[in-house]
Amino acid sequence: MAKLDSIFHCLADPTRRAVIAQLATGASPVSELAAPHDMALPSFMKHINVLEAGGWIETQKKGRVRTCRLCSGAIETAESWLDQQRRIWERRLDQLDDFVATLDDERIQK
Amino acid sequence: MAKLDSIFHCLADPTRRAVIAQLATGASPVSELAAPHDMALPSFMKHINVLEAGGWIETQKKGRVRTCRLCSGAIETAESWLDQQRRIWERRLDQLDDFVATLDDERIQK
DNA sequence: ATCAAGCTTAGCCATTTGGCTATCTATTCG
DNA sequence: CGAATAGATAGCCAAATGGCTAAGCTTGAT
């Protein structure tokens, strides 16, 4: 899925992860989000745009303030993909265990 | 953490996600992994190297065959970061619910 | 009406990414 | 030995990324 590209691309940058982490504790205007990051505002805004395009946040402007809030879709898609891979992987490890157990049983039978 | 950059960067590409998904079902040599992807081998090898650098896979060469297998560290780190954000976010939503409930109670009291 | 605050837009730049071809090395098979 | 197989290395290239500065442009406060 092409959406996964942009969802995970958002997470591959410390500034964007920090924004997500901060927004998890509550909505915030852009300038407040930008404050902790030593970076010019246009540079920071690019990250905001990337996060919005990736479906991590949504924003709305009231007066001259743009407020950003986290939305649920992206994190669910991300976790669900990871979960699926982990399940496939763990199921296979279990099958390996069973296989080894079978070998052991056969050895005992002798 | 700088490691998270490379861990998530690995996931931001469909070829690399496909390799992870395929390796979840069992270890594989490079050429077998490469087969489904319409891409020259050196290009594909770059993805393998990125995945190895990101801690998603480890490889070992026997004779002329390099075998790749998934390792557990990366997926755990990734899921754990996501889980942590989700928990922070959900806890805050619960607090909002409580707050709204308090408001309702106060309205009823009147 | 003016001025500051809070973005926005435009355009520049270095580096990274993700692809390619061509060539080389190291194994294995006949 | 000689040829085919499986990767590895080197080097090229266009596009994307992540940063900057210098102006704009609304909106809110005085």
Side-chain angles (χ1 to χ4, degrees), chain A residues 10 13-23 27-53 57 59 66-69:
Chain A
C10 286
D13 178 282
T15 302
R16 290 193 293 260
R17 283 196 308 277
V19 169
I20 291 173
Q22 189 170 346
L23 287 180
S28 242
V30 168
S31 51
E32 195 175 314
L33 286 170
H37 304 283
D38 186 21
M39 185 181 298
L41 229 155
S43 312
F44 184 79
M45 281 299 297
K46 285 194 185 177
H47 289 297
I48 296 294
N49 293 332
V50 169
L51 283 168
E52 194 165 15
I57 67 174
T59 74
R66 176 169 301 279
T67 302
C68 309
R69 69 192 66 252

Side-chain angles (χ1 to χ4, degrees), chain A residues 16-28 33 56-57 68-71 75, chain B residues 81-96:
Chain A
R16 290 193 293 260
R17 283 196 308 277
V19 169
I20 291 173
Q22 189 170 346
L23 287 180
T25 72
S28 242
L33 286 170
W56 279 95
I57 67 174
C68 309
R69 69 192 66 252
L70 219 54
C71 41
I75 198 168
Chain B
W81 188 89
L82 283 170
D83 260 33
Q84 195 182 332
Q85 306 313 318
R86 197 174 37 71
R87 269 200 294 275
I88 294 171
W89 191 45
E90 282 172 355
R91 188 156 56 84
R92 185 186 136 258
L93 291 185
D94 287 349
Q95 286 170 353
L96 277 185

Side-chain angles (χ1 to χ4, degrees), chain A residues 42-102:
Chain A
S43 312
F44 184 79
M45 281 299 297
K46 285 194 185 177
H47 289 297
I48 296 294
N49 293 332
V50 169
L51 283 168
E52 194 165 15
W56 279 95
I57 67 174
E58 57 190 9
T59 74
Q60 55 182 354
K61 199 162 182 179
K62 264 198 176 127
R64 52 186 173 176
V65 176
R66 176 169 301 279
T67 302
C68 309
R69 69 192 66 252
L70 219 54
C71 41
S72 57
I75 198 168
E76 278 166 14
T77 306
E79 284 205 293
S80 134
W81 189 88
L82 283 170
D83 261 33
Q84 194 183 332
Q85 305 314 317
R86 196 175 36 72
R87 268 200 295 276
I88 293 171
W89 192 45
E90 282 172 356
R91 188 157 55 84
R92 185 185 136 259
L93 291 185
D94 287 350
Q95 285 170 354
L96 277 185
D97 283 352
D98 289 352
F99 179 63
V100 171
T102 307

